[in-house]
Amino acid sequence: MTNHSANAAPLLPPGPVMVDVQATRLTEHEIQRLQHPLVGGVILFARNFESREQLTALCAEIHACRAEPLLIAVDHEGGRVQRFRTDGFTPLPAMRQLGEIWMDDSLAAMRLATETGYVLAAELRACGVDLSFTPVLDLDYGVSSVIGDRAFHRDPQIVSMLARALTQGLLLAGMAACGKHFPGHGFVQADSHHEIPVDTRSLEEIMGEDAAPYGWLGDMVLPSVMPAHVIYPEVDEAPAGFSPFWIQSILRGQLRYDGVVFSDDLTMEGASVAGDILARAQAALGAGCDMVLVCNRPDLADELLSRLSFDMPEISQDRIRRLHPRFDAPDWQSLQRQERYRYARDLQSQIISG
């Protein structure tokens, strides 16, 4: 493991950029990047995991880079989007399975959603991860390959109820939630990782269906939100994550949302309409995002950090701080001894097996 204890960790407030790391240990260059004043968080991927012990050490090393620790996040939803799957991590169901259970027994579905959220968060926190970008609030229209079974249901009310239950489970383990992808990615077939999706519906249709869960849940349940790299031309020519109308007028204004707004990954094809990496970050931050993500392209992360001039508002810094866990988590061995955890963990295999 790289030793950087000789260098005092800088006392810096959170910056507006979330970056990633390439492997299972930090390099000296990555340590320097994480100490850049514009960096505020780190997102992990499957490539950053070889064992629980290694993941715990990596998270500790990342946290030690700054006197005010960076926020460590991951996409760990369940189903096909679960970054850590071995060495004791519990296989989690796809959210659609919870929606299917709802159709037979809504109370059972909500109880299972809470237990799923608890296991998800408890295992991550035992290894030092602070936040998972979950739950998915997109509606299941049956057309989006990238969303698919990541969505709870087609009905926005059912989505809202199951998302509320899941976030309750996260909170029981001390983890905040992130609703995505505002105002909705489920209606379009194109995958914003590789294409520029366009949703031609009216504002009224979108607000009445896809965006409804965000209004119902609010920042008390969803302390962070991630907009979609989708263009809604009947509303605005810019993708939602680059749109002051969507973020300022609708999310902050009409829906009175006061949580963190993350951009989706700025290296995705859906973000390319804004220009180069600097233009993308400036567009997202200018539209009202509190933090932007730059994933899988360390060269672009370095370019952005060298070119971006941005004074992060104190309100954004405070919002980011509110996402950090409020209490210490038990380590993995202690977690395994907790009856509450074992009960919730055992339920997951029952959900997956049907």
Side-chain angles (χ1 to χ4, degrees), residues 29-327:
H29 181 68
E30 287 173 334
I31 293 167
Q32 294 174 11
R33 183 188 299 133
L34 298 186
Q35 293 179 340
H36 193 288
L38 290 178
V39 172
V42 177
I43 181 170
L44 301 179
F45 292 92
R47 66 172 180 268
N48 302 123
F49 178 82
E50 63 182 18
S51 70
R52 287 184 290 101
E53 181 180 8
Q54 167 272 320
L55 177 63
T56 304
L58 176 62
C59 290
E61 192 176 16
I62 292 170
H63 281 144
C65 285
R66 300 271 280 263
E68 181 176 342
L70 296 166
L71 183 74
I72 301 178
V74 67
D75 285 313
H76 198 83
E77 304 166 8
R80 56 193 168 93
V81 182
Q82 181 174 341
R83 302 306 187 201
F84 315 137
R85 295 176 174 273
T86 58
D87 198 17
F89 272 94
T90 302
L92 301 170
M95 296 302 99
R96 180 186 285 169
Q97 289 182 267
L98 297 173
E100 291 170 348
I101 294 170
W102 173 285
M103 301 308 294
D104 293 325
D105 188 336
S106 59
L107 292 179
M110 290 183 66
R111 178 176 64 88
L112 293 171
T114 298
E115 301 307 329
T116 298
Y118 175 72
V119 170
L120 186 161
E123 293 182 349
L124 289 177
R125 290 213 56 216
C127 296
V129 179
D130 303 312
L131 175 72
S132 178
F133 289 120
T134 188
V136 170
L137 300 182
D138 303 309
L139 305 187
D140 186 4
Y141 288 95
V143 299
S144 174
S145 59
V146 69
I147 301 302
D149 64 1
R150 297 165 65 192
F152 288 107
H153 204 272
R154 166 63 180 83
D155 187 324
Q157 295 186 48
I158 297 175
V159 169
S160 298
M161 295 299 289
L162 289 174
R164 178 181 287 272
L166 186 88
T167 59
Q168 180 180 354
L170 298 176
L171 284 171
L172 288 171
M175 181 176 284
C178 179
K180 60 185 185 183
H181 306 81
F182 176 81
H185 200 311
F187 190 79
V188 290
Q189 184 174 5
D191 179 352
S192 54
H193 291 83
H194 310 294
E195 304 172 76
I196 303 173
V198 177
D199 186 335
T200 59
R201 291 176 298 162
S202 68
L203 177 61
E204 291 71 23
E205 289 178 283
I206 297 166
M207 294 301 295
E209 293 268 18
D210 302 61
Y214 295 90
W216 294 333
L217 296 173
D219 54 66
M220 293 298 291
V221 177
L222 300 170
S224 64
V225 161
M226 180 178 288
H229 283 325
V230 176
I231 297 174
Y232 309 87
E234 294 298 312
V235 181
D236 191 4
E237 63 183 12
F242 300 143
S243 168
F245 180 81
W246 277 116
I247 296 177
Q248 299 290 350
S249 298
I250 299 298
L251 188 59
R252 297 276 190 220
Q254 182 174 327
L255 301 182
R256 313 303 297 172
Y257 184 76
D258 191 41
V260 175
V261 178
F262 289 100
S263 82
D264 207 342
D265 178 14
L266 295 184
T267 71
M268 291 164 57
E269 183 62 26
S272 65
V273 295
D276 67 8
I277 191 63
L278 177 62
R280 298 178 194 189
Q282 290 173 329
L285 294 169
C289 289
D290 298 288
M291 180 173 280
V292 297
L293 277 65
V294 182
C295 308
N296 303 309
R297 289 290 303 273
D299 57 324
L300 293 183
D302 287 338
E303 178 185 347
L304 177 61
L305 295 175
S306 68
R307 297 176 63 196
L308 180 64
S309 177
F310 184 77
D311 292 326
M312 190 170 183
E314 287 188 14
I315 189 172
S316 292
Q317 294 172 354
D318 290 341
R319 287 170 181 153
I320 293 294
R321 291 185 177 110
R322 293 201 297 264
L323 296 182
H324 284 270
R326 299 294 181 90
F327 55 83

